[in-house]
Amino acid sequence: MASVLLYHVVGDLTVGKPELVEFPETETVEAAIRAIGESTECGIPVWKRIPAVGMVEKNEMRQQRFVGILTSLDIVSFLAKSQCLEDQDKAMKTQVSHVVVPNNSLLKIVDPATRLIDALEMMKQGARRFLVPKSKVWKGMSRRFSILYNGRWLKNNENASSSNLIPNVNRPSSSSTSTYMHDKFCCLSREDIIRFLIGCLGALAPLPLSSISLLGAINLDYSSIEASLPALEATQKHPGDPSAVAVVEITPDGHRQILGEISASKLWKCDYLAAAWALANLSAGQFVMGVEDNSGSRLFPDFSVKSPDQDKKTENGGGSARLRRFSSRSIGFNPVSPSFGVGRSMYRGRSAPLTCKTSSSLAAVMAQMLSHRATHVWVTEDDNDDVLVGVVGYSDILVAVTKQPAALVPSTRSITELASGIHS
């Protein structure tokens, strides 16, 4: 096990992190859209309100108030429902408690002195965010062996041997039942973990330079939809981790050719109402490839998209909502290809999926994800850029970086053979 995972603690990653501002479940979808747009990721934690003002809240109580993580894909899928398209104003005023998928296990409250290796184990088991108390006594400085915290030795018990000086993840920390009424909290995500790890590539050697195929980091169990099917069917796939559905075209020889994706990260800063209309009315291929104003917009009817500013102008008699035609730019896509099925070889734009090869190194994939602020990278065959093999997400990387070097044994079967066996 790399020493950097053993000798660093969660508190080392909280330096410079802003204080958490809770987003309550009673807020509206319209407010959630603004909050996601202003956040550093494509999803926000949603909370129940504190039952009583000024009450002393223990960690267990705070954990129970956490509802789940609301993503941009959740909102677009909700707005794409027929009743929401018929009354957009009502849909935008809907409380997020009716939209967010409840999952209390996605967030864990951890002590700043929790070892990084223990934190990774929690994330490998499904946690996506950590809520960390920004204690006044924690200075954020790395303690090489992470065993001295707040002026005392951390032990499993008073009679623990020297081998048990580091706290166990299965044992509640000494401060797990403490009250942090006057303390501030910050939220750590898996992206924060990956960003820290990429700064420690030397300490993780030889894993970073190993291929994702050799590390077994390619997830073959991904969600996909054929380009000819309605885009709305992508919401029925219930993509979990990552929150993405690949849009593919089946070739005559049975391979899956990736055209794009419908995902939370792609819809992060989009025009949500335009994206919802497109999701409900277009095929998956048309949705991801886009329809340019000067060529394909005549194929689709006009639709109304009103911004909050336009609503105010309408109420004040200052004008009416402007009717617009759907285009790739209205969603946030801007592909070079003029329309679906035309000039696919020139398809390079913001709607292009982020891809890598099966032979790509783990370090290269981590750098791709961080530079593009993506939650995943699609994996294609080494000799064919379009043939989809699988996907690499945050959880796959966390599993890979905790592998023992001795476990890196080349597989007797190629990753392509495994993928074809799963999807045949």
Side-chain angles (χ1 to χ4, degrees):
M1 187 65 63
S3 60
V4 67
L5 304 181
L6 295 172
Y7 301 148
H8 277 276
V9 293
V10 171
D12 295 335
L13 280 66
T14 62
V15 180
K17 292 292 292 184
E19 180 185 356
L20 171 72
V21 177
E22 293 186 0
F23 188 86
E25 63 176 354
T26 53
E27 282 285 0
T28 64
V29 169
E30 186 176 14
I33 291 175
R34 289 195 297 266
I36 292 177
E38 295 170 357
S39 70
T40 57
E41 297 188 43
C42 55
I44 54 173
V46 177
W47 302 80
K48 296 178 182 177
R49 291 190 181 276
I50 299 177
V53 179
M55 69 174 293
V56 177
E57 184 178 38
K58 295 184 178 181
N59 283 357
E60 292 85 350
M61 300 169 61
R62 184 181 290 269
Q63 177 73 57
Q64 290 301 316
R65 286 199 301 108
F66 173 69
V67 178
I69 296 178
L70 181 67
T71 69
S72 54
L73 182 58
D74 294 330
I75 294 179
V76 172
S77 300
F78 169 74
L79 294 176
K81 295 180 179 180
S82 57
Q83 62 268 31
C84 294
L85 292 175
E86 292 172 1
D87 192 343
Q88 294 177 347
D89 291 335
K90 181 180 179 181
M92 295 292 277
K93 301 301 181 185
T94 303
Q95 290 188 358
V96 298
S97 58
H98 299 292
V99 182
V100 64
V101 179
N103 192 342
N104 185 264
S105 65
L106 296 182
L107 180 141
K108 298 294 182 184
I109 300 178
V110 298
D111 192 279
T114 303
R115 293 186 307 172
L116 187 56
I117 184 61
D118 296 333
L120 291 183
E121 287 300 321
M122 283 187 275
M123 283 192 163
K124 285 162 61 176
Q125 294 171 14
R128 299 188 188 178
R129 304 286 177 95
F130 289 143
L131 194 62
V132 187
K134 300 191 73 172
S135 175
K136 295 179 181 178
V137 298
W138 182 258
K139 303 301 182 182
M141 296 181 295
S142 174
R143 289 153 173 78
R144 184 176 180 184
F145 296 103
S146 306
I147 54 178
L148 185 63
Y149 173 58
N150 197 18
R152 60 183 177 81
W153 292 98
L154 292 174
K155 304 178 182 180
N156 287 331
N157 53 61
E158 291 300 325
N159 299 321
S161 63
S162 60
S163 61
N164 291 326
L165 289 178
I166 299 177
N168 190 328
V169 67
N170 296 319
R171 176 186 64 86
S173 66
S174 59
S175 59
S176 62
T177 57
S178 301
T179 58
Y180 287 101
M181 184 177 178
H182 301 293
D183 277 351
K184 298 178 180 180
F185 287 80
C186 66
C187 196
L188 288 181
S189 67
R190 293 181 296 181
E191 180 180 320
D192 294 320
I193 301 291
I194 301 299
R195 195 174 298 279
F196 174 81
L197 292 177
I198 206 169
C200 309
L201 293 181
L204 295 173
L207 296 175
L209 295 182
S210 302
S211 71
I212 54 176
S213 177
L214 180 61
L215 292 171
I218 303 176
N219 184 359
L220 306 178
D221 188 21
Y222 58 88
S223 299
S224 65
I225 183 175
E226 291 190 34
S228 59
L229 295 177
L232 193 60
E233 290 191 14
T235 63
Q236 301 171 6
K237 298 290 183 178
H238 302 292
D241 187 24
S243 181
V245 178
V247 177
V248 300
E249 192 175 58
I250 307 300
T251 61
D253 56 0
H255 289 130
R256 282 172 163 74
Q257 189 174 20
I258 185 168
L259 302 178
E261 66 177 55
I262 300 175
S263 66
S265 56
K266 281 292 184 184
L267 297 172
W268 181 5
K269 297 180 183 295
C270 72
D271 182 326
Y272 283 77
L273 292 176
W277 182 93
L279 193 67
N281 291 277
L282 303 182
S283 70
Q286 290 168 332
F287 183 89
V288 299
M289 297 295 284
V291 182
E292 293 304 309
D293 290 328
N294 59 359
S295 60
S297 58
R298 64 180 182 275
L299 299 176
F300 308 102
D302 288 340
F303 71 103
S304 175
V305 178
K306 294 189 292 183
S307 66
D309 292 338
Q310 289 173 326
D311 285 336
K312 292 178 182 179
K313 290 180 180 179
T314 302
E315 293 173 359
N316 297 330
S320 60
R322 181 170 60 91
L323 292 176
R324 297 191 302 175
R325 294 181 182 273
F326 166 70
S327 73
S328 58
R329 292 184 181 87
S330 67
I331 296 183
F333 293 168
N334 187 21
V336 173
S337 177
S339 63
F340 171 62
V342 179
R344 202 159 45 230
S345 62
M346 297 179 63
Y347 173 45
R348 296 291 184 273
R350 281 186 293 171
S351 57
L354 189 63
T355 61
C356 67
K357 305 285 190 180
T358 57
S359 59
S360 297
S361 68
L362 181 66
V365 174
M366 292 169 65
Q368 268 186 293
M369 293 175 66
L370 292 178
S371 61
H372 289 270
R373 304 303 302 277
T375 59
H376 58 280
V377 179
W378 300 103
V379 185
T380 61
E381 290 183 348
D382 284 343
D383 54 353
N384 194 327
D385 292 341
D386 294 329
V387 175
L388 181 62
V389 172
V391 67
V392 177
Y394 285 137
S395 58
D396 305 305
I397 291 179
L398 296 180
V399 171
V401 298
T402 54
K403 279 184 178 293
Q404 296 290 348
L408 305 184
V409 179
S411 175
T412 56
R413 297 178 63 191
S414 68
I415 195 70
T416 305
E417 290 173 343
L418 289 174
S420 60
I422 286 181
H423 296 289
S424 60

